[in-house]
Amino acid sequence: MNNFNKLGLSSKVIEVLDQLGFENPTPIQEQAIPYLLSNTPTDFIGLAQTGTGKTAAFGLPLIDRIDLDDKSTQALVMAPTRELGMQTAKQLVDFTSNNKKLNVEVVYGGASITTQIKALKKPTQIVVATPGRLLDLIKRKAIKLDQVQYVVLDEADEMLNMGFKEDIDDILSYTPEERVTWLFSATMPPEIRKIVKKYMKDPKEVSINTKEKSNKDISHKYVVTKTADKVAALRRFLDLQPDMRGIMFCRTRRETQEISDHLGNLGYGAEALHGDLSQAQREAVMKRFKMRSMQLLVATDVAARGIDVNDLTHVIHHTLPDQLESYTHRSGRTGRAGKKGVSLALINPREGRKISMLEKKINVKFEKIEVPTTEALKSTRINNWASLIINTKVDEQADEILKHLHGQFEHLSKEDILKRLITTQLDHLTGNEGEDNDLNESQKQGGGDEGGRKKKGTSNRFFINIGTMDGITKADLVHYISDVSGVDRKVFTDFSIQKSCAFFNVEKGYDKGLSECFEGVEVEGRAIRVNRDDEMPEKKGKGGGGNRASRRAKSHGGKPRSSGRGRSHRGGGGRRRRN
C-alpha cells in the first residue's frame, strides 16, 4: 500500500508516485504535505537536512494546487544553483508525467537565454529559477510574476550564503503581496529569520531532527597534516580504500583544477567541477561521475551545490568552509538512504579550533585518525592483490595463452615471477617517492592544541564585508587592508574572497586594534566592518550597520585599493579614519 495516500494528495499524483516507486514518505514529507494541502494555504517553513526529500515535500502539494485551466505562471521555485534548479525541475516534471496540461520550465545562468525566452512563451504554470537569470528575464519582460500565488525558496540558507539576498528582495517585489511563501532550509541563521519577518505572515514551522543536527549515519573524522601534504595524504587514503567514491571540496577554482590534474596524471580517477567550466563541460563531468567512471569529484562549494549522487562513501574537506553551516551541506552528501558515510577533514596544525567549533555547533564528535604510512600502504596493497589473485576464477583461454608464453618464463623461478609481480604493484605507489613516511602532524605544532587554543606565532581569522561584488581582487584587498590599518602586507595571508564578503588570516600580534582601524571607513556609502571570524560584531559594539562613526563622509567612489602614499607600516594596527 502506498502510504502517501494518507497525506491528502490527489489520485493523479498518487498514480505517478506508484509508477516512480515512492511508497513511504520521509518525515519532512509526512509533516509538510498535509499542511501545504490545507484549504487555507499559509506561509510555511520546513527545516530539514540535505537529502531528506524536501523537493517532494513542497513539489507534490504544489502540483495539486495548480489551476490547470489557468495558463499563467502560478508558482515560482527559486534555487541557489543551476544544478539544484535542474534537479528540482526534473523531479517536478517526473511528478507531472501523467498530466500534459501542467508545464514546468527551468531557467538558469550559463545556458542560452534566447532558448529560455522561447520556452517561456508557452503556457508555463511552474517556473524553477536561479535568482540571477530570473532577474535578467524579468528586466527583458520575458516573464511575468504578477499572477504568482506560490513562491518556494529552496535551500534558502545556501542562497543567502551565496549573496542572493538583494536579488531575492528584488524578485519578490514583482510578485503579488497576497502570495503564499514556502521556505525550505537545512539551517536557520539570523539572516533567514529576517526574511521570514519581512515576507512571511505567521508561518507554520516544521523542524525535522533539529536537535540532531547531523546525520547519525555519517562518521566525522579528521587528520592533521601540513597544508603542503594534504594531497599526498589524500592519495594514501585513495590507495588504502580503492572502493572509495566521493567528493572533495576545495576553496578555489584554481586549487580544484590543480588537484584534479595532479591526481589524474598519477592515474587516479578524479575530475574537477568549478565555475570556469562551461555548462556542457559541467554536465559531462557529472554524467561520468554518476556513471561511476571516476572515483573522486574535486569541486568548489558553489559548483557542488545541488549535486545529488547516490552511494557516496566519502566527503573530503581539503579546506574546512569559512561558514561552518556549509559543513552540514557538504557532509550531507554521504550517509544517505540508511547507508554509512564518512566526512573526512584534512586540517593543518593551526585549525584545531575549527574542529572544536564544529563539534559544538552541529553536536557531533570528530574522531582523529592517522594518515597511513607508506609501509602500511605497501602491506595493504600487496595483501589485497594477493587476495584478488587467490579468488580469481581462471579463464578457459588461459591454458592456450600460457603455452605461447611458457618459453619466456623458463629462466625464472616461481619466486622470481612473484617478485616481479609484486614490484608492478609497488610501482603504483611511485607518487609517494620523496615524501615522508609519516605525514601526520601534532595539533600543538603551529599553535593549535586539541581545544583549539592558539600559541604565539600563529594567526587569527578575520572577516571583512567586501567581496567580488565590489570588483575586488586579492591584490586589491591586501593593499586596501594594509593601507587602512598601517600594517605590513606580509602579515595578511590565506584570503578567501566570496560574493559579499572575504576572510583572511592575520599573524597574531599584528591584529590588535585592526577592527577599530575601519571605524568610519566607507566604500560607496557602505560602512566597512572588520572583525574576528570567531567573534560576533555585537560583542564589540561595532556591527556593520551600527558603526559609531559618522557615515556622512564621502566614499572612495570605487573599489578599495591602496592609496600609494607611502605610509609607514607598523604592527598593532594604529587607529586611522579613512573615507
Side-chain angles (χ1 to χ4, degrees):
M1 177 182 173
N2 192 316
N3 289 316
F4 281 89
N5 273 313
K6 304 172 183 177
L7 305 183
L9 293 164
S10 66
S11 58
K12 213 167 184 63
V13 169
I14 295 297
E15 179 186 332
V16 173
L17 294 178
D18 283 334
Q19 293 170 1
L20 295 174
F22 283 67
E23 293 184 358
N24 297 306
T26 65
I28 186 64
Q29 293 164 3
E30 199 166 29
Q31 293 198 43
I33 291 174
Y35 189 85
L36 298 181
L37 286 171
S38 61
N39 292 330
T40 307
T42 56
D43 293 343
F44 180 86
I45 299 170
L47 298 177
Q49 298 300 323
T50 303
T52 53
K54 293 196 290 288
T55 304
F58 67 75
L60 296 175
L62 190 64
I63 289 166
D64 266 348
R65 286 204 162 275
I66 295 297
D67 181 355
L68 298 178
D69 296 324
D70 183 351
K71 296 183 179 181
S72 65
T73 299
Q74 301 168 49
L76 170 64
V77 180
M78 276 193 273
T81 65
R82 49 189 167 187
E83 285 80 14
L84 183 60
M86 292 165 65
Q87 176 187 316
T88 299
K90 182 182 182 303
Q91 273 201 271
L92 293 176
V93 169
D94 289 342
F95 293 151
T96 59
S97 58
N98 63 347
N99 194 336
K100 302 303 178 185
K101 283 188 174 182
L102 204 161
N103 185 35
V104 179
E105 291 292 345
V106 58
V107 293
Y108 50 85
S112 168
I113 195 168
T114 306
T115 303
Q116 292 175 356
I117 290 173
K118 184 178 179 181
L120 289 172
K121 288 181 178 178
K122 297 183 293 183
T124 304
Q125 291 96 340
I126 301 177
V127 172
V128 182
T130 54
R133 176 50 59 92
L134 182 58
L135 270 177
D136 199 352
L137 291 166
I138 291 171
K139 289 171 183 176
R140 292 175 185 235
K141 301 189 184 303
I143 186 171
K144 292 183 178 180
L145 304 181
D146 57 331
Q147 298 299 311
V148 166
Q149 300 172 45
Y150 304 95
V151 171
V152 181
L153 301 177
D154 192 17
E155 301 288 2
D157 50 353
E158 287 295 302
M159 282 197 279
L160 292 186
N161 285 341
M162 294 174 68
F164 287 130
K165 172 67 168 63
E166 292 179 2
D167 290 349
I168 293 171
D169 288 340
D170 202 357
I171 290 166
L172 292 180
S173 70
Y174 290 93
T175 62
E177 285 189 15
E178 61 272 15
R179 70 175 182 274
V180 172
T181 304
W182 300 343
L183 185 150
F184 285 79
S185 182
T187 59
M188 184 58 84
E191 292 83 358
I192 295 220
R193 288 293 178 195
K194 291 177 184 176
I195 286 184
V196 171
K197 187 175 181 180
K198 184 174 182 179
Y199 294 112
M200 303 175 78
K201 299 174 184 176
D202 301 320
K204 164 76 172 178
E205 185 171 324
V206 168
S207 300
I208 303 299
N209 295 332
T210 52
K211 292 183 180 179
E212 297 174 10
K213 293 188 177 180
S214 183
N215 187 335
K216 288 185 176 180
D217 289 326
I218 302 173
S219 299
H220 300 268
K221 303 180 180 183
Y222 73 101
V223 298
V224 183
T225 189
K226 295 176 183 175
T227 299
D229 289 335
K230 286 185 177 183
V231 177
L234 170 67
R235 290 203 316 267
R236 296 189 184 185
F237 282 108
L238 290 170
D239 286 333
L240 197 65
Q241 303 172 65
D243 294 332
M244 180 192 294
R245 184 166 177 263
I247 300 176
M248 184 169 83
F249 288 91
C250 298
R251 190 187 294 280
T252 66
R253 300 174 183 182
R254 179 179 178 182
E255 197 174 53
T256 300
Q257 192 63 55
E258 287 177 350
I259 291 173
S260 65
D261 288 346
H262 172 76
L263 293 173
N265 291 336
L266 291 175
Y268 295 91
E271 290 194 47
L273 186 73
H274 53 71
D276 288 341
L277 301 178
S278 68
Q279 183 63 22
Q281 288 173 318
R282 290 158 67 101
E283 290 176 1
V285 169
M286 283 309 304
K287 183 177 181 181
R288 288 191 290 272
F289 189 48
K290 289 181 178 180
M291 294 178 67
R292 299 174 179 269
S293 298
M294 71 178 89
Q295 186 178 10
L296 189 71
L297 185 69
V298 187
T300 57
D301 276 298
V302 173
R305 283 174 181 140
I307 288 177
D308 187 20
V309 180
N310 295 324
D311 302 330
L312 293 184
T313 63
H314 285 71
V315 167
I316 299 169
H317 312 267
H318 181 270
T319 310
L320 284 169
D322 286 308
Q323 299 292 338
L324 297 183
E325 288 85 355
S326 298
Y327 178 86
T328 302
H329 286 274
R330 287 184 178 185
S331 59
R333 288 172 171 82
T334 187
R336 293 187 174 187
K339 295 184 179 180
K340 302 296 182 183
V342 173
S343 177
L344 174 62
L346 310 176
I347 70 168
N348 65 43
R350 296 177 299 175
E351 294 178 309
R353 178 176 58 88
K354 281 197 172 184
I355 295 295
S356 300
M357 290 172 67
L358 275 172
E359 287 184 323
K360 294 174 183 177
K361 195 171 189 73
I362 62 175
N363 193 28
V364 299
K365 183 66 179 173
F366 276 78
E367 175 191 357
K368 183 181 179 183
I369 62 173
E370 299 289 305
V371 178
T373 63
T374 53
E375 294 306 315
L377 278 180
K378 290 175 183 178
S379 174
T380 300
R381 184 167 185 85
I382 295 304
N383 285 332
N384 289 342
W385 166 78
S387 177
L388 179 65
I389 289 178
I390 292 169
N391 293 296
T392 297
K393 184 179 179 181
V394 177
D395 192 283
E396 295 177 356
Q397 303 176 58
D399 286 335
E400 189 63 31
I401 294 172
L402 190 59
K403 289 178 184 178
H404 295 288
L405 293 176
H406 197 269
Q408 298 184 38
F409 297 115
E410 281 184 344
H411 64 291
L412 296 174
S413 67
K414 181 177 72 174
E415 286 74 16
D416 289 333
I417 293 173
L418 284 173
K419 287 176 182 177
R420 283 165 171 75
L421 290 173
I422 289 170
T423 301
T424 63
Q425 291 300 307
L426 295 178
D427 283 345
H428 181 79
L429 303 174
T430 54
N432 298 323
E433 287 183 0
E435 295 173 0
D436 290 337
N437 177 50
D438 186 1
L439 298 181
N440 296 287
E441 294 285 323
S442 167
Q443 280 175 258
K444 292 184 180 181
Q445 297 176 15
D449 62 11
E450 292 292 334
R453 293 186 296 274
K454 294 284 181 178
K455 290 192 177 181
K456 186 176 180 181
T458 63
S459 59
N460 289 319
R461 194 75 168 156
F462 274 76
F463 162 95
I464 184 169
N465 60 334
I466 296 174
T468 55
M469 62 184 283
D470 300 293
I472 196 78
T473 67
K474 177 183 174 183
D476 291 329
L477 196 54
V478 173
H479 282 278
Y480 178 68
I481 295 171
S482 175
D483 186 41
V484 173
S485 65
V487 179
D488 196 298
R489 295 194 301 270
K490 293 179 181 178
V491 307
F492 302 108
T493 59
D494 201 16
F495 280 78
S496 171
I497 303 178
Q498 301 176 14
K499 184 172 182 180
S500 59
C501 65
F503 297 86
F504 58 94
N505 283 356
V506 183
E507 190 175 326
K508 195 172 181 181
Y510 292 90
D511 58 354
K512 292 180 181 178
L514 182 65
S515 299
E516 287 83 349
C517 292
F518 288 83
E519 283 189 342
V521 176
E522 295 185 359
V523 171
E524 297 183 348
R526 186 172 83 252
I528 299 304
R529 173 168 59 85
V530 172
N531 59 268
R532 279 272 295 271
D533 185 28
D534 57 349
E535 292 178 355
M536 292 297 289
E538 288 78 10
K539 293 179 182 177
K540 295 181 163 187
K542 292 178 281 294
N547 205 309
R548 293 195 304 254
S550 169
R551 293 193 183 196
R552 292 193 295 270
K554 294 179 182 179
S555 70
H556 278 290
K559 65 186 180 183
R561 60 185 182 275
S562 173
S563 68
R565 296 178 185 173
R567 284 186 169 81
S568 62
H569 296 299
R570 64 190 183 281
R575 193 177 187 86
R576 188 179 300 270
R577 291 187 183 273
R578 181 69 54 80
N579 294 326

